[in-house]
Amino acid sequence: MLVLLPPSEGKAAGGSGAPLKPESLSLPGLAPARAAVLEELVELCAGDELKAREVLGLSEGLRGEVAKNVELRSAVARPAGEIYTGVLYDALGLADLPAAARGRAEDALLVFSGLWGAVRITDRIPSYRCSMGVKLPALGALGAYWRGPMASVMPEAAGEGLVLDLRSSAYAAAWKPKGEVAGRTATVRVLHSQVVDGVEKRSVVSHFNKATKGRLVRDLLLAGAAPASPAELVTALRDLDYVVEAEPPTKPGKAWSLDVVVTQIHH
């Protein structure tokens, strides 16, 4: 099973350790593209701060993120699983997973990134700010920029089993499973169900979406579940007491769509 995750806007800072070693990152086929994005991002942030903030979509209060990007090559690098924070990663709780579940996480999780393309949670990276929605002056929109490099490495990374795609739309733009890989890919949407005046209403709420996806992955890892297909994933999630509504693809080359329906979040 390969689980595709979005990163978090916020990143953990501080700590100690050696700086980034680009050659040590997973998916080495992405190395040239990573080098190009890193070079332009550092150059952008070392220049006009106002322009950099505009390109990166940062407010005045986040100007420190620009300065942080200037130092990316020399800053402390830590495992990506420690760098990414926020609702999804809080619910996933990598830090306190038992050893066996942690090992499964290291094998299964792949985090998409505007700067790195995609990294494993064991890859050591510095704290940075560069979302997939950014449009760099020279390279253009990163979602489109990464499509070529991703197309060359992701089919192999996907292996022969289930691909559980939990990415947000901006990150999904960087790679769309095709052909045979798409047929064993499941995308997940989280719906919040409420009964109002005796009528059920469903909505997509960001907090419920992120927290449920993190909790869902954690539960699969803790259970040692190893679904090999979207259909087996549906069974595994239902066994874990999730309410899942599945929609198989209507034609070849399309992914399965899964709705996970929640009424509340258990932290």
Side-chain angles (χ1 to χ4, degrees), residues 60-93:
E60 170 89 23
L62 292 173
R63 61 191 306 173
E65 299 290 283
V66 175
K68 186 167 67 174
N69 280 349
V70 176
E71 307 297 332
L72 284 173
R73 292 191 178 95
S74 58
V76 169
R78 295 163 58 191
E82 297 176 14
I83 291 290
Y84 294 118
T85 59
V87 174
L88 187 153
Y89 290 90
D90 286 347
L92 175 54

PDB file of all heavy atoms in Angstrom, residues 60-93:
ATOM      1  N   GLU A  60       2.293  39.947   5.683  1.00  0.00           N
ATOM      2  CA  GLU A  60       3.377  40.649   6.380  1.00  0.00           C
ATOM      3  C   GLU A  60       3.822  39.873   7.617  1.00  0.00           C
ATOM      4  O   GLU A  60       5.009  39.776   7.929  1.00  0.00           O
ATOM      5  CB  GLU A  60       2.882  42.038   6.794  1.00  0.00           C
ATOM      6  CG  GLU A  60       3.819  42.795   7.732  1.00  0.00           C
ATOM      7  CD  GLU A  60       4.852  43.628   7.002  1.00  0.00           C
ATOM      8  OE1 GLU A  60       4.615  43.981   5.837  1.00  0.00           O
ATOM      9  OE2 GLU A  60       5.882  43.917   7.618  1.00  0.00           O
ATOM     10  N   GLY A  61       2.859  39.282   8.299  1.00  0.00           N
ATOM     11  CA  GLY A  61       3.178  38.550   9.521  1.00  0.00           C
ATOM     12  C   GLY A  61       3.989  37.292   9.288  1.00  0.00           C
ATOM     13  O   GLY A  61       4.550  36.726  10.234  1.00  0.00           O
ATOM     14  N   LEU A  62       4.063  36.843   8.035  1.00  0.00           N
ATOM     15  CA  LEU A  62       4.820  35.631   7.708  1.00  0.00           C
ATOM     16  C   LEU A  62       6.110  35.950   6.952  1.00  0.00           C
ATOM     17  O   LEU A  62       6.681  35.081   6.297  1.00  0.00           O
ATOM     18  CB  LEU A  62       3.947  34.677   6.874  1.00  0.00           C
ATOM     19  CG  LEU A  62       2.764  34.048   7.608  1.00  0.00           C
ATOM     20  CD1 LEU A  62       1.886  33.268   6.637  1.00  0.00           C
ATOM     21  CD2 LEU A  62       3.248  33.135   8.732  1.00  0.00           C
ATOM     22  N   ARG A  63       6.576  37.186   7.095  1.00  0.00           N
ATOM     23  CA  ARG A  63       7.797  37.573   6.371  1.00  0.00           C
ATOM     24  C   ARG A  63       9.001  36.732   6.796  1.00  0.00           C
ATOM     25  O   ARG A  63       9.945  36.546   6.019  1.00  0.00           O
ATOM     26  CB  ARG A  63       8.082  39.055   6.577  1.00  0.00           C
ATOM     27  CG  ARG A  63       8.310  39.471   8.013  1.00  0.00           C
ATOM     28  CD  ARG A  63       8.325  40.980   8.190  1.00  0.00           C
ATOM     29  NE  ARG A  63       9.283  41.627   7.316  1.00  0.00           N
ATOM     30  CZ  ARG A  63       9.407  42.936   7.179  1.00  0.00           C
ATOM     31  NH1 ARG A  63       8.595  43.740   7.855  1.00  0.00           N
ATOM     32  NH2 ARG A  63      10.318  43.457   6.388  1.00  0.00           N
ATOM     33  N   GLY A  64       8.968  36.212   8.018  1.00  0.00           N
ATOM     34  CA  GLY A  64      10.061  35.357   8.480  1.00  0.00           C
ATOM     35  C   GLY A  64      10.218  34.095   7.646  1.00  0.00           C
ATOM     36  O   GLY A  64      11.307  33.513   7.588  1.00  0.00           O
ATOM     37  N   GLU A  65       9.135  33.671   6.993  1.00  0.00           N
ATOM     38  CA  GLU A  65       9.200  32.482   6.138  1.00  0.00           C
ATOM     39  C   GLU A  65      10.086  32.743   4.917  1.00  0.00           C
ATOM     40  O   GLU A  65      10.732  31.831   4.404  1.00  0.00           O
ATOM     41  CB  GLU A  65       7.793  32.095   5.670  1.00  0.00           C
ATOM     42  CG  GLU A  65       6.835  31.742   6.795  1.00  0.00           C
ATOM     43  CD  GLU A  65       7.208  30.432   7.465  1.00  0.00           C
ATOM     44  OE1 GLU A  65       6.926  29.374   6.892  1.00  0.00           O
ATOM     45  OE2 GLU A  65       7.787  30.481   8.568  1.00  0.00           O
ATOM     46  N   VAL A  66      10.115  33.989   4.461  1.00  0.00           N
ATOM     47  CA  VAL A  66      10.970  34.342   3.325  1.00  0.00           C
ATOM     48  C   VAL A  66      12.434  34.205   3.723  1.00  0.00           C
ATOM     49  O   VAL A  66      13.237  33.598   3.001  1.00  0.00           O
ATOM     50  CB  VAL A  66      10.673  35.782   2.844  1.00  0.00           C
ATOM     51  CG1 VAL A  66      11.651  36.193   1.749  1.00  0.00           C
ATOM     52  CG2 VAL A  66       9.238  35.884   2.340  1.00  0.00           C
ATOM     53  N   ALA A  67      12.779  34.751   4.882  1.00  0.00           N
ATOM     54  CA  ALA A  67      14.162  34.653   5.368  1.00  0.00           C
ATOM     55  C   ALA A  67      14.557  33.202   5.577  1.00  0.00           C
ATOM     56  O   ALA A  67      15.707  32.811   5.306  1.00  0.00           O
ATOM     57  CB  ALA A  67      14.305  35.444   6.668  1.00  0.00           C
ATOM     58  N   LYS A  68      13.616  32.389   6.052  1.00  0.00           N
ATOM     59  CA  LYS A  68      13.894  30.975   6.276  1.00  0.00           C
ATOM     60  C   LYS A  68      14.241  30.267   4.968  1.00  0.00           C
ATOM     61  O   LYS A  68      15.155  29.435   4.915  1.00  0.00           O
ATOM     62  CB  LYS A  68      12.670  30.325   6.930  1.00  0.00           C
ATOM     63  CG  LYS A  68      12.860  28.883   7.343  1.00  0.00           C
ATOM     64  CD  LYS A  68      11.737  28.416   8.259  1.00  0.00           C
ATOM     65  CE  LYS A  68      10.400  28.345   7.557  1.00  0.00           C
ATOM     66  NZ  LYS A  68       9.349  27.766   8.421  1.00  0.00           N
ATOM     67  N   ASN A  69      13.531  30.616   3.898  1.00  0.00           N
ATOM     68  CA  ASN A  69      13.800  29.986   2.603  1.00  0.00           C
ATOM     69  C   ASN A  69      15.183  30.320   2.066  1.00  0.00           C
ATOM     70  O   ASN A  69      15.776  29.533   1.326  1.00  0.00           O
ATOM     71  CB  ASN A  69      12.748  30.423   1.579  1.00  0.00           C
ATOM     72  CG  ASN A  69      11.442  29.665   1.718  1.00  0.00           C
ATOM     73  OD1 ASN A  69      11.352  28.664   2.430  1.00  0.00           O
ATOM     74  ND2 ASN A  69      10.406  30.146   1.043  1.00  0.00           N
ATOM     75  N   VAL A  70      15.704  31.507   2.420  1.00  0.00           N
ATOM     76  CA  VAL A  70      17.042  31.897   1.947  1.00  0.00           C
ATOM     77  C   VAL A  70      18.103  30.931   2.460  1.00  0.00           C
ATOM     78  O   VAL A  70      19.103  30.656   1.782  1.00  0.00           O
ATOM     79  CB  VAL A  70      17.376  33.341   2.396  1.00  0.00           C
ATOM     80  CG1 VAL A  70      18.800  33.715   1.980  1.00  0.00           C
ATOM     81  CG2 VAL A  70      16.377  34.330   1.805  1.00  0.00           C
ATOM     82  N   GLU A  71      17.876  30.373   3.651  1.00  0.00           N
ATOM     83  CA  GLU A  71      18.882  29.532   4.312  1.00  0.00           C
ATOM     84  C   GLU A  71      18.661  28.041   4.103  1.00  0.00           C
ATOM     85  O   GLU A  71      19.222  27.215   4.824  1.00  0.00           O
ATOM     86  CB  GLU A  71      18.877  29.827   5.825  1.00  0.00           C
ATOM     87  CG  GLU A  71      19.020  31.294   6.188  1.00  0.00           C
ATOM     88  CD  GLU A  71      20.352  31.869   5.727  1.00  0.00           C
ATOM     89  OE1 GLU A  71      21.330  31.092   5.637  1.00  0.00           O
ATOM     90  OE2 GLU A  71      20.395  33.078   5.421  1.00  0.00           O
ATOM     91  N   LEU A  72      17.842  27.656   3.130  1.00  0.00           N
ATOM     92  CA  LEU A  72      17.456  26.254   2.988  1.00  0.00           C
ATOM     93  C   LEU A  72      18.648  25.303   2.834  1.00  0.00           C
ATOM     94  O   LEU A  72      18.614  24.175   3.328  1.00  0.00           O
ATOM     95  CB  LEU A  72      16.518  26.087   1.785  1.00  0.00           C
ATOM     96  CG  LEU A  72      15.082  26.566   2.013  1.00  0.00           C
ATOM     97  CD1 LEU A  72      14.295  26.521   0.718  1.00  0.00           C
ATOM     98  CD2 LEU A  72      14.409  25.720   3.077  1.00  0.00           C
ATOM     99  N   ARG A  73      19.684  25.745   2.156  1.00  0.00           N
ATOM    100  CA  ARG A  73      20.815  24.839   1.912  1.00  0.00           C
ATOM    101  C   ARG A  73      21.655  24.594   3.164  1.00  0.00           C
ATOM    102  O   ARG A  73      22.332  23.571   3.271  1.00  0.00           O
ATOM    103  CB  ARG A  73      21.703  25.394   0.793  1.00  0.00           C
ATOM    104  CG  ARG A  73      21.036  25.392  -0.586  1.00  0.00           C
ATOM    105  CD  ARG A  73      22.048  25.701  -1.669  1.00  0.00           C
ATOM    106  NE  ARG A  73      21.466  25.667  -3.003  1.00  0.00           N
ATOM    107  CZ  ARG A  73      21.009  26.715  -3.662  1.00  0.00           C
ATOM    108  NH1 ARG A  73      21.034  27.909  -3.075  1.00  0.00           N
ATOM    109  NH2 ARG A  73      20.501  26.592  -4.873  1.00  0.00           N
ATOM    110  N   SER A  74      21.616  25.532   4.114  1.00  0.00           N
ATOM    111  CA  SER A  74      22.452  25.398   5.313  1.00  0.00           C
ATOM    112  C   SER A  74      21.640  25.118   6.578  1.00  0.00           C
ATOM    113  O   SER A  74      22.214  24.813   7.626  1.00  0.00           O
ATOM    114  CB  SER A  74      23.287  26.664   5.527  1.00  0.00           C
ATOM    115  OG  SER A  74      22.441  27.808   5.653  1.00  0.00           O
ATOM    116  N   ALA A  75      20.323  25.195   6.494  1.00  0.00           N
ATOM    117  CA  ALA A  75      19.473  25.006   7.675  1.00  0.00           C
ATOM    118  C   ALA A  75      19.478  23.554   8.134  1.00  0.00           C
ATOM    119  O   ALA A  75      19.784  22.631   7.367  1.00  0.00           O
ATOM    120  CB  ALA A  75      18.039  25.440   7.357  1.00  0.00           C
ATOM    121  N   VAL A  76      19.118  23.365   9.391  1.00  0.00           N
ATOM    122  CA  VAL A  76      19.015  22.020   9.958  1.00  0.00           C
ATOM    123  C   VAL A  76      17.958  21.218   9.199  1.00  0.00           C
ATOM    124  O   VAL A  76      16.863  21.701   8.929  1.00  0.00           O
ATOM    125  CB  VAL A  76      18.624  22.098  11.453  1.00  0.00           C
ATOM    126  CG1 VAL A  76      18.241  20.727  11.987  1.00  0.00           C
ATOM    127  CG2 VAL A  76      19.766  22.694  12.259  1.00  0.00           C
ATOM    128  N   ALA A  77      18.313  20.000   8.842  1.00  0.00           N
ATOM    129  CA  ALA A  77      17.365  19.094   8.195  1.00  0.00           C
ATOM    130  C   ALA A  77      16.933  18.028   9.197  1.00  0.00           C
ATOM    131  O   ALA A  77      17.752  17.509   9.960  1.00  0.00           O
ATOM    132  CB  ALA A  77      18.005  18.444   6.972  1.00  0.00           C
ATOM    133  N   ARG A  78      15.635  17.738   9.209  1.00  0.00           N
ATOM    134  CA  ARG A  78      15.081  16.720  10.095  1.00  0.00           C
ATOM    135  C   ARG A  78      14.160  15.808   9.290  1.00  0.00           C
ATOM    136  O   ARG A  78      13.736  16.167   8.189  1.00  0.00           O
ATOM    137  CB  ARG A  78      14.285  17.397  11.222  1.00  0.00           C
ATOM    138  CG  ARG A  78      15.127  18.228  12.152  1.00  0.00           C
ATOM    139  CD  ARG A  78      14.279  19.187  12.965  1.00  0.00           C
ATOM    140  NE  ARG A  78      13.258  18.512  13.760  1.00  0.00           N
ATOM    141  CZ  ARG A  78      12.267  19.154  14.374  1.00  0.00           C
ATOM    142  NH1 ARG A  78      12.153  20.468  14.270  1.00  0.00           N
ATOM    143  NH2 ARG A  78      11.379  18.486  15.072  1.00  0.00           N
ATOM    144  N   PRO A  79      13.838  14.639   9.794  1.00  0.00           N
ATOM    145  CA  PRO A  79      12.938  13.754   9.047  1.00  0.00           C
ATOM    146  C   PRO A  79      11.631  14.464   8.708  1.00  0.00           C
ATOM    147  O   PRO A  79      11.067  15.179   9.544  1.00  0.00           O
ATOM    148  CB  PRO A  79      12.703  12.592  10.013  1.00  0.00           C
ATOM    149  CG  PRO A  79      13.934  12.557  10.867  1.00  0.00           C
ATOM    150  CD  PRO A  79      14.326  13.995  11.039  1.00  0.00           C
ATOM    151  N   ALA A  80      11.166  14.274   7.489  1.00  0.00           N
ATOM    152  CA  ALA A  80       9.943  14.939   7.043  1.00  0.00           C
ATOM    153  C   ALA A  80       8.772  14.650   7.978  1.00  0.00           C
ATOM    154  O   ALA A  80       7.898  15.496   8.178  1.00  0.00           O
ATOM    155  CB  ALA A  80       9.598  14.511   5.621  1.00  0.00           C
ATOM    156  N   GLY A  81       8.756  13.464   8.574  1.00  0.00           N
ATOM    157  CA  GLY A  81       7.704  13.116   9.512  1.00  0.00           C
ATOM    158  C   GLY A  81       7.678  13.990  10.753  1.00  0.00           C
ATOM    159  O   GLY A  81       6.658  14.076  11.440  1.00  0.00           O
ATOM    160  N   GLU A  82       8.811  14.645  11.044  1.00  0.00           N
ATOM    161  CA  GLU A  82       8.880  15.591  12.159  1.00  0.00           C
ATOM    162  C   GLU A  82       8.641  17.023  11.695  1.00  0.00           C
ATOM    163  O   GLU A  82       8.212  17.871  12.485  1.00  0.00           O
ATOM    164  CB  GLU A  82      10.248  15.508  12.840  1.00  0.00           C
ATOM    165  CG  GLU A  82      10.555  14.157  13.470  1.00  0.00           C
ATOM    166  CD  GLU A  82      11.967  14.109  14.059  1.00  0.00           C
ATOM    167  OE1 GLU A  82      12.588  15.182  14.220  1.00  0.00           O
ATOM    168  OE2 GLU A  82      12.436  12.998  14.338  1.00  0.00           O
ATOM    169  N   ILE A  83       8.921  17.306  10.447  1.00  0.00           N
ATOM    170  CA  ILE A  83       8.786  18.670   9.909  1.00  0.00           C
ATOM    171  C   ILE A  83       7.326  19.043   9.693  1.00  0.00           C
ATOM    172  O   ILE A  83       6.898  20.153  10.024  1.00  0.00           O
ATOM    173  CB  ILE A  83       9.565  18.798   8.581  1.00  0.00           C
ATOM    174  CG1 ILE A  83      11.083  18.739   8.835  1.00  0.00           C
ATOM    175  CG2 ILE A  83       9.194  20.081   7.850  1.00  0.00           C
ATOM    176  CD1 ILE A  83      11.663  19.939   9.540  1.00  0.00           C
ATOM    177  N   TYR A  84       6.543  18.123   9.142  1.00  0.00           N
ATOM    178  CA  TYR A  84       5.156  18.439   8.834  1.00  0.00           C
ATOM    179  C   TYR A  84       4.293  18.369  10.088  1.00  0.00           C
ATOM    180  O   TYR A  84       4.361  17.410  10.858  1.00  0.00           O
ATOM    181  CB  TYR A  84       4.619  17.499   7.747  1.00  0.00           C
ATOM    182  CG  TYR A  84       5.317  17.696   6.417  1.00  0.00           C
ATOM    183  CD1 TYR A  84       6.050  16.674   5.829  1.00  0.00           C
ATOM    184  CD2 TYR A  84       5.259  18.924   5.760  1.00  0.00           C
ATOM    185  CE1 TYR A  84       6.702  16.858   4.614  1.00  0.00           C
ATOM    186  CE2 TYR A  84       5.905  19.119   4.552  1.00  0.00           C
ATOM    187  CZ  TYR A  84       6.631  18.086   3.983  1.00  0.00           C
ATOM    188  OH  TYR A  84       7.279  18.284   2.787  1.00  0.00           O
ATOM    189  N   THR A  85       3.490  19.426  10.282  1.00  0.00           N
ATOM    190  CA  THR A  85       2.638  19.528  11.463  1.00  0.00           C
ATOM    191  C   THR A  85       1.207  19.823  10.996  1.00  0.00           C
ATOM    192  O   THR A  85       0.902  19.733   9.818  1.00  0.00           O
ATOM    193  CB  THR A  85       3.133  20.649  12.389  1.00  0.00           C
ATOM    194  OG1 THR A  85       3.121  21.899  11.656  1.00  0.00           O
ATOM    195  CG2 THR A  85       4.547  20.385  12.873  1.00  0.00           C
ATOM    196  N   GLY A  86       0.335  20.200  11.896  1.00  0.00           N
ATOM    197  CA  GLY A  86      -1.022  20.549  11.491  1.00  0.00           C
ATOM    198  C   GLY A  86      -2.012  19.452  11.820  1.00  0.00           C
ATOM    199  O   GLY A  86      -1.669  18.410  12.383  1.00  0.00           O
ATOM    200  N   VAL A  87      -3.263  19.691  11.448  1.00  0.00           N
ATOM    201  CA  VAL A  87      -4.376  18.832  11.865  1.00  0.00           C
ATOM    202  C   VAL A  87      -4.197  17.381  11.424  1.00  0.00           C
ATOM    203  O   VAL A  87      -4.341  16.446  12.209  1.00  0.00           O
ATOM    204  CB  VAL A  87      -5.714  19.394  11.327  1.00  0.00           C
ATOM    205  CG1 VAL A  87      -6.865  18.447  11.629  1.00  0.00           C
ATOM    206  CG2 VAL A  87      -5.991  20.772  11.930  1.00  0.00           C
ATOM    207  N   LEU A  88      -3.888  17.173  10.143  1.00  0.00           N
ATOM    208  CA  LEU A  88      -3.745  15.801   9.646  1.00  0.00           C
ATOM    209  C   LEU A  88      -2.623  15.075  10.373  1.00  0.00           C
ATOM    210  O   LEU A  88      -2.778  13.927  10.804  1.00  0.00           O
ATOM    211  CB  LEU A  88      -3.497  15.817   8.131  1.00  0.00           C
ATOM    212  CG  LEU A  88      -3.493  14.464   7.404  1.00  0.00           C
ATOM    213  CD1 LEU A  88      -3.899  14.639   5.932  1.00  0.00           C
ATOM    214  CD2 LEU A  88      -2.146  13.754   7.471  1.00  0.00           C
ATOM    215  N   TYR A  89      -1.482  15.745  10.513  1.00  0.00           N
ATOM    216  CA  TYR A  89      -0.319  15.088  11.123  1.00  0.00           C
ATOM    217  C   TYR A  89      -0.484  14.923  12.628  1.00  0.00           C
ATOM    218  O   TYR A  89       0.043  13.962  13.209  1.00  0.00           O
ATOM    219  CB  TYR A  89       0.959  15.842  10.742  1.00  0.00           C
ATOM    220  CG  TYR A  89       1.274  15.646   9.282  1.00  0.00           C
ATOM    221  CD1 TYR A  89       0.775  16.530   8.315  1.00  0.00           C
ATOM    222  CD2 TYR A  89       1.993  14.542   8.846  1.00  0.00           C
ATOM    223  CE1 TYR A  89       1.000  16.319   6.971  1.00  0.00           C
ATOM    224  CE2 TYR A  89       2.226  14.332   7.499  1.00  0.00           C
ATOM    225  CZ  TYR A  89       1.727  15.216   6.563  1.00  0.00           C
ATOM    226  OH  TYR A  89       1.944  14.984   5.228  1.00  0.00           O
ATOM    227  N   ASP A  90      -1.214  15.825  13.266  1.00  0.00           N
ATOM    228  CA  ASP A  90      -1.535  15.638  14.684  1.00  0.00           C
ATOM    229  C   ASP A  90      -2.374  14.375  14.867  1.00  0.00           C
ATOM    230  O   ASP A  90      -2.150  13.590  15.796  1.00  0.00           O
ATOM    231  CB  ASP A  90      -2.290  16.847  15.237  1.00  0.00           C
ATOM    232  CG  ASP A  90      -1.395  18.056  15.448  1.00  0.00           C
ATOM    233  OD1 ASP A  90      -0.159  17.894  15.407  1.00  0.00           O
ATOM    234  OD2 ASP A  90      -1.931  19.168  15.647  1.00  0.00           O
ATOM    235  N   ALA A  91      -3.367  14.188  14.003  1.00  0.00           N
ATOM    236  CA  ALA A  91      -4.225  13.009  14.102  1.00  0.00           C
ATOM    237  C   ALA A  91      -3.478  11.726  13.736  1.00  0.00           C
ATOM    238  O   ALA A  91      -3.730  10.665  14.308  1.00  0.00           O
ATOM    239  CB  ALA A  91      -5.445  13.176  13.202  1.00  0.00           C
ATOM    240  N   LEU A  92      -2.552  11.836  12.804  1.00  0.00           N
ATOM    241  CA  LEU A  92      -1.741  10.682  12.404  1.00  0.00           C
ATOM    242  C   LEU A  92      -0.803  10.245  13.530  1.00  0.00           C
ATOM    243  O   LEU A  92      -0.579   9.056  13.751  1.00  0.00           O
ATOM    244  CB  LEU A  92      -0.961  11.030  11.133  1.00  0.00           C
ATOM    245  CG  LEU A  92       0.042  10.030  10.577  1.00  0.00           C
ATOM    246  CD1 LEU A  92      -0.586   8.669  10.368  1.00  0.00           C
ATOM    247  CD2 LEU A  92       0.621  10.557   9.262  1.00  0.00           C
ATOM    248  N   GLY A  93      -0.244  11.213  14.260  1.00  0.00           N
ATOM    249  CA  GLY A  93       0.571  10.915  15.438  1.00  0.00           C
ATOM    250  C   GLY A  93       1.748  10.001  15.182  1.00  0.00           C
ATOM    251  O   GLY A  93       1.922   8.989  15.876  1.00  0.00           O
TER     252      GLY A  93
END
